[in-house]
């Protein structure tokens, strides 16, 4: 018989057995036994003290997205758990594997409206892959093993473990448990060989194929298989926002980003291709626009691990279920080596148009206020196009994902599905812990930064080296853009009176500089990158900057606004 | 928009592990799509440890298919299916509490019992409980006649229970296949 240990220690040992060495958390009443035990485990588990529980979940997301491991957040019950909800919902819609452990009141008080009691499992069921309440110390090893298995396998997602306080203190003999199957759960559906054959024959017969690359490729570690597939049949490929960095920016078959603020060519070509090959993506409305006019001419092949994505938004001709790492290789095996030179040539004209009317103006303006795009371009160049990009949400995000460049996978951390303002700063902290040897650059707006600005305290305390580039336009820029275009220039509540951000950073001991002149920009960027600590670079950018191209919401993907075509 | 499909009554059958909070996980999937649950019945299935939910809802094929996939996706759900009435043998049960004196005044109790194929479950001087099984229309017809003629003190109708007409026993076949694939211990299948 093992020596009995407390439930809290059993939790920490279970986590260590799952390979956890980093936790983002915040203590409180109903989780105190665990934090007390953590005091003895500091050498094995690095706990990063955040300043708000939402920050813990976003940091866990950032960590998971760059490392491919499960991110862990730890906090108390009640308000702590409800603060975590935004990050959990974000992880659900963006398929990010995180395990969130919340304290809970002692089991005897459950359901009695006890102090800091909230129905965490009930609240979180629609936004978790699995939510479980641990009421007995005997359950811990099993629940933790199951949580990690569920979070990480199949289509990943968030799991909540709601941990009753008495179970944290009760004694239990701990035996590690490893879970590798659950009767009711099929993480990866069986591959149907006839679908592989049908997909290959459609692609072989195709004259104008277009691949749409989603995060499924990154989650399935299928980057190499994807490139082999694309190169063999000479298929141009566009990415969704979360699929970015699955293919290097410099790859000739990479034709850019899809969607509302994506590149002109791939959006136009969606409605011209004869076979649309969707790979680990879910046809979000920001990608498709109006479904009634979306790719109607094309046969659609949909590779996905999640059967519920098939025919959810776009009717599929051939559905290839399974992990794309396997299914892509199998299809590639049946492909004829091919050339689509003429078809690929047709991407050039729309690209040139975008270059002339949008990109040149945004990246290389000669006069006037600093543009958002030019800041991003200069930062990506200065980092050798090999940094991790973290963004907040809004114009800063769209500009960053448009103009940042990548050489390796898992280089983009952004809130794609939920569009969570305030995601950026804590996610960047987590990303740096997940990829400690890479440079992490956060682009954030003045609005989003102020939603989770307290996490500057986390940076101060942990010393984590995050490069924060604040694109300050003194506006809630994306809302302002919509007001300009669709709400008759009525700028309702989008002007922001902002504090002195450099002083705030300074108060947290974070060096920084504010730049409003183009001539100062290069030096400021290189100072930021050379500084061996976190850094806040505030750039006062054009107040009325617009993100183009833009496909207005709910319209056809070919209805692309380029802004002022002069 | 896609061509408007006609709404039909679908029966959604869900087999799940017997864990806490399952019903909530299923119903929120209906709620999110503003689908009304017409009837619901939950009970242990023939297989020990596995629960069966039978849910009816008016919807289109397109929507019910998506709903079933979303239910199926939940970790604790073993399998979800949907059927129309044509695929199923189904039944509901209804209980009617009426005043005994009024029932006697109504004339022939035998006539009511025979015409509706009803049963008398309990009888006192004051009240009598009748039971009738059948489809909605059938249990409703008795309710209507009783309430018009003598009034019904209490009435309750169960959710639907249903059995497929298929020759294939889908759940036990699925479990057998899974067992084979995983090489795990034999899943106990009841008779």
């Amino acid at each position: 018989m093992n020596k009995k240990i407390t439930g809290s220690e059993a939790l920490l040992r279970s986590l260590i057995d799952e390979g956890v060495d980093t936790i983002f958390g915040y203590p409180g009443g109903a989780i105190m036994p665990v934090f007390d035990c953590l005091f003895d485990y500091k050498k094995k588990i690095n706990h990063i003290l955040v300043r708000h529980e939402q920050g813990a979940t976003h940091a866990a997301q950032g960590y998971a997205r760059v490392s491919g491991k499960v991110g862990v957040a730890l906090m108390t019950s009640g308000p702590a758990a409800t603060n975590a909800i935004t990050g959990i919902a974000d992880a659900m819609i963006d398929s990010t594997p995180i395990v969130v452990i919340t304290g809970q009141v002692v089991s005897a008080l459950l359901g009695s409206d006890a102090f800091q009691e909230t129905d965490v499992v009930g609240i979180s069921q629609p936004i978790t892959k699995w939510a479980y309440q641990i009421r007995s110390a005997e359950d811990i090893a099993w629940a933790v093993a199951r949580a990690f298995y569920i979070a990480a396998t199949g289509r990943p997602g968030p799991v909540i473990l709601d941990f009753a306080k008495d179970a944290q203190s009760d004694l239990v003999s701990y035996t590690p448990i490893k879970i590798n199957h659950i009767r009711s759960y099929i993480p990866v559906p069986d591959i149907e060989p006839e679908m592989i054959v049908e997909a290959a024959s459609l692609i072989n017969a195709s004259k104008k194929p277009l691949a749409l690359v989603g995060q499924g490729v990154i989650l399935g570690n299928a980057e190499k298989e994807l490139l082999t597939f694309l190169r063999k049949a000479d298929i141009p490929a566009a990415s969704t926002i979360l699929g970015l960095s699955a293919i290097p920016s410099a790859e000739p078959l990479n034709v850019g980003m899809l969607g509302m603020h994506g590149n002109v060519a791939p959006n136009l070509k969606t409605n011209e291709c004869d076979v649309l090959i969707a790979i680990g993506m879910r046809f979000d409305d920001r990608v498709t626009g109006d479904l009634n006019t979306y790719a109607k001419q094309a046969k659609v092949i949909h590779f996905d691990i999640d059967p519920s994505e098939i025919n959810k938004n776009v009717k599929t001709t051939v559905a290839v279920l399974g992990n794309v790492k396997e299914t892509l290789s199998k299809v590639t095996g049946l492909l004829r080596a091919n050339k689509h030179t003429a078809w690929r040539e047709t991407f050039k004209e729309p690209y040139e148009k975008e270059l002339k009317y949008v990109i040149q103006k945004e990246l290389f303006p000669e006069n006037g206020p600093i543009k958002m795009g030019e800041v991003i371009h200069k930062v990506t160049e200065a980092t050798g196009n090999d940094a991790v990009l973290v963004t907040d949400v809004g114009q800063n995000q769209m500009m960053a994902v448009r103009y940042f460049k990548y050489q390796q996978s898992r280089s983009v951390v952004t809130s794609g599905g939920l569009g969570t303002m305030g995601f950026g700063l804590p996610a960047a902290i987590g990303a740096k812990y997940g990829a400690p040897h890479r440079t992490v650059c956060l682009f954030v707006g003045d609005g989003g930064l102020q939603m989770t600005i307290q996490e500057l305290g986390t940076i101060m305390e942990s010393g984590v080296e995050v490069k924060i580039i604040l694109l300050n336009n003194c506006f809630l820029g994306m809302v302002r853009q919509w007001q300009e275009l669709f709400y008759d220039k009525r700028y309702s509540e989008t002007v922001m009176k902002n504090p002195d951000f450099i002083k705030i950073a300074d108060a947290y001991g974070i060096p920084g500089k504010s730049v409003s002149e183009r001539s100062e920009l290069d030096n400021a960027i290189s100072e930021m990158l050379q500084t061996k600590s976190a850094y806040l670079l505030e750039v006062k950018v054009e107040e009325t900057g617009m993100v183009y191209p833009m496909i207005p919401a709910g319209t056809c993907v070919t209805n692309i606004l380029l802004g002022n075509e002069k | 928009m896609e061509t408007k499909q006609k709404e039909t009554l679908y029966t959604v059958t869900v087999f799940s592990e017997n864990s806490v909070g399952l019903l909530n996980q299923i119903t929120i999937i209906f709620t999110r799509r503003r689908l009304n649950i017409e009837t619901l019945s939950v009970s242990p299935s023939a297989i020990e440890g596995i629960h069966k939910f039978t849910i009816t809802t008016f919807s289109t094929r397109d929507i019910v298919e998506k709903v079933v996939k979303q239910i199926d996706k939940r970790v604790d759900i073993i399998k979800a299916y949907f059927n129309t009435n044509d695929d199923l043998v189904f039944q509901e049960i209804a209980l009617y509490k009426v005043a005994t004196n009024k029932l006697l005044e109504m004339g022939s109790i035998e006539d009511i019992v025979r015409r509706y194929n009803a049963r008398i479950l309990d009888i006192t001087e004051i009240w009598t409980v009748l039971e009738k099984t059948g489809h909605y229309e059938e249990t409703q017809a008795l309710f209507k006649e009783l309430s018009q003629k003598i009034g019904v003190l209490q009435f309750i109708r169960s959710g639907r229970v249903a059995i497929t007409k298929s020759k294939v026993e889908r759940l036990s076949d699925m479990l057998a296949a899974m067992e084979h694939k995983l090489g795990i211990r034999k899943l106990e299948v009841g008779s």
Side-chain angles (χ1 to χ4, degrees), chain A residues 190, chain B residues 172-187:
Chain A
D190 288 337
Chain B
S172 41
D173 288 1
M174 195 197 106
L175 288 176
M178 204 147 60
E179 199 178 281
H180 178 73
K181 189 173 144 194
L182 295 169
I184 52 175
R185 72 178 169 76
K186 185 147 174 53
L187 301 165

Side-chain angles (χ1 to χ4, degrees), chain A residues 470-488:
Chain A
L470 167 62
L471 301 175
N472 187 354
N473 57 6
C474 296
F475 262 109
L476 297 173
M478 190 55 93
V479 182
R480 197 210 68 83
Q481 173 164 345
W482 283 49
Q483 287 171 335
E484 179 173 332
L485 293 172
F486 314 120
Y487 290 88
D488 213 13

Side-chain angles (χ1 to χ4, degrees), chain A residues 92 122 125-126 128-130 146 150 155 181-185 188 190 292 306-308 310-312 315, chain B residues 1-2 17 21 24-25 28 49-50 62 66 69-70 73-78 175 178 181-182 184 187:
Chain A
M92 184 68 171
Q125 267 177 344
T128 49
K129 211 173 154 186
W130 190 52
R146 213 170 188 261
I150 290 170
R155 178 174 179 176
H181 78 267
I182 294 171
R183 171 169 76 171
S184 56
Y185 170 56
V188 185
D190 288 337
N292 293 314
D306 178 358
S308 75
I310 307 298
N311 293 329
K312 189 183 82 177
K315 290 278 179 231
Chain B
M1 281 310 292
E2 289 166 47
E17 298 293 353
N24 186 41
Q25 290 191 47
I28 53 183
I50 294 181
D62 205 40
K66 287 178 191 174
K69 280 182 178 175
Q70 292 297 332
K73 183 167 155 177
R74 300 300 306 174
V75 166
D76 292 318
I77 303 292
I78 294 170
L175 288 176
M178 204 147 60
K181 189 173 144 194
L182 295 169
I184 52 175
L187 301 165

Side-chain angles (χ1 to χ4, degrees), chain B residues 124-177:
Chain B
T124 71
E125 279 176 22
I126 303 176
W127 47 260
T128 299
V129 174
L130 293 159
E131 173 207 285
K132 162 148 191 63
T133 54
H135 288 179
Y136 175 85
E137 300 74 23
E138 297 169 307
T139 54
Q140 187 64 14
L142 176 57
F143 175 73
K144 227 171 154 184
E145 179 165 349
L146 288 173
S147 47
Q148 274 166 6
K149 290 188 174 159
I150 57 170
V152 176
L153 300 172
Q154 279 185 49
F155 171 66
I156 180 76
R157 178 162 39 222
S158 74
R160 168 180 288 195
V161 292
I163 275 176
T164 57
K165 293 174 182 171
S166 157
K167 281 180 201 154
V168 189
E169 295 315 321
R170 45 196 187 181
L171 184 69
S172 41
D173 288 1
M174 195 197 106
L175 288 176

